[in-house]
Amino acid sequence: MAPHRPEEPAPHYHGHRDRLRARFQEAGADALPDYELLELLLFRAIPRRDVKPLAKALIQRFGSFAEVLAAPVSRLSEVKGVSDAVALDLKIVEAALTRMAKGALAKRPVLSSWSSVLDYCRMAMAFAEREQFRILFLDRKNALIADEVQQTGTVDHTPVYPREVMRRALELSASAIILVHNHPSGDPTPSGADMRMTRELVDIAKPLGIAIHDHIIVGRDGHASFRSLGLIDD
């Protein structure tokens, strides 16, 4: 008869996982620092390993929970311990959050839910590594008709063609548009080129009866609104 062998103790991280889940359930996400919230996500993709070192490495590499989710798969994979499955899980969560933020705009007048507009724009673009120029097309009741990325450029420039923007607005029968682009540098302060391009768009849109409600620039450090800055008039 084979001798009895005592059961091996559970790995030390099992208790940590249970405690972390309990804290999340009892106190909510706001009670957890970024790396611990990231740990909760990594538990599912990496069930049999202590993921705290990986979560901390990801935050150190990219800066924050949001920036980890927004990082391209190619850069995530450069971090030791990030498998294809881990990268995919992170991108699925990013897509879900962006879809949820966009859903908050879909069934109400955009101008009455401005905080939702800003949340969506930051989620969709603030941490992108290249500039993107996005347009929100609105109907006469200021409800969202379409949300389209018109151009993707370099780290500090996106080509914008005002007549193409207006052509698309007319195709969609849009009554108003909101311009959005990101500054990968993090600083959302409008550049001289941003201001010249916006003035050109306003000048072309006005005779067509299309209002430009705002031009929003988003970055890691916040956002800038041309209307709030007095750079777009009614």
Side-chain angles (χ1 to χ4, degrees):
M1 184 175 180
H4 174 72
R5 295 181 179 179
E7 292 184 7
E8 293 184 4
H12 70 90
Y13 56 81
H14 280 194
H16 170 67
R17 290 186 175 203
D18 291 341
R19 289 190 296 272
L20 193 53
R21 289 189 180 105
R23 281 176 54 209
F24 177 80
Q25 289 177 319
E26 292 167 7
D30 288 344
L32 306 180
D34 278 5
Y35 80 88
E36 289 187 333
L37 190 60
L38 189 54
E39 278 189 79
L40 288 171
L41 289 181
L42 295 173
F43 287 169
R44 304 183 70 82
I46 307 176
R48 295 181 180 84
R49 199 173 83 223
D50 181 5
V51 297
K52 182 186 288 187
L54 177 56
K56 288 188 171 182
L58 284 165
I59 297 295
Q60 183 176 11
R61 174 70 175 273
F62 296 106
S64 69
F65 180 82
E67 288 169 288
V68 171
L69 294 184
V73 170
S74 59
R75 291 195 61 206
L76 288 170
S77 300
E78 293 172 359
V79 179
K80 185 178 180 181
V82 176
S83 63
D84 290 345
V86 169
L88 179 61
D89 269 13
L90 294 174
K91 301 315 290 184
I92 289 171
V93 173
E94 182 200 20
L97 291 174
T98 303
R99 182 73 60 88
M100 185 168 63
K102 185 175 181 179
L105 303 180
K107 297 181 179 179
R108 66 181 81 172
V110 166
L111 298 186
S112 67
S113 53
W114 198 244
S115 62
S116 296
V117 173
L118 296 176
D119 288 345
Y120 169 62
C121 292
R122 280 187 54 77
M123 176 63 66
M125 303 174 68
F127 303 109
E129 295 187 314
R130 294 191 295 166
E131 277 201 13
Q132 296 178 349
F133 184 72
R134 179 184 298 268
I135 305 176
L136 307 181
F137 296 93
L138 311 179
D139 64 16
R140 292 185 182 280
K141 296 182 179 180
N142 289 318
L144 186 66
I145 299 172
D147 161 29
E148 298 180 354
V149 174
Q150 294 290 302
Q151 298 288 338
T152 298
T154 64
V155 294
D156 60 3
H157 175 69
T158 305
V160 178
Y161 306 102
R163 295 188 185 279
E164 289 299 308
V165 173
M166 291 302 112
R167 180 186 61 80
R168 184 59 177 151
L170 291 170
E171 286 177 351
L172 293 169
S173 298
S175 296
I177 60 177
I178 297 171
L179 312 173
V180 190
H181 84 277
N182 62 310
H183 280 178
S185 68
D187 181 2
T189 303
S191 67
D194 294 335
M195 290 186 276
R196 288 191 295 274
M197 178 266 289
T198 304
R199 283 196 297 268
E200 185 177 354
L201 278 164
V202 170
D203 290 343
I204 294 174
K206 186 172 290 186
L208 299 174
I210 298 172
I212 295 183
H213 284 321
D214 207 343
H215 184 170
I216 301 167
I217 302 176
V218 294
R220 290 175 177 81
D221 300 334
H223 75 277
S225 159
F226 274 52
R227 183 166 294 278
S228 296
L229 293 170
L231 299 174
I232 290 181
D233 299 322
D234 289 324

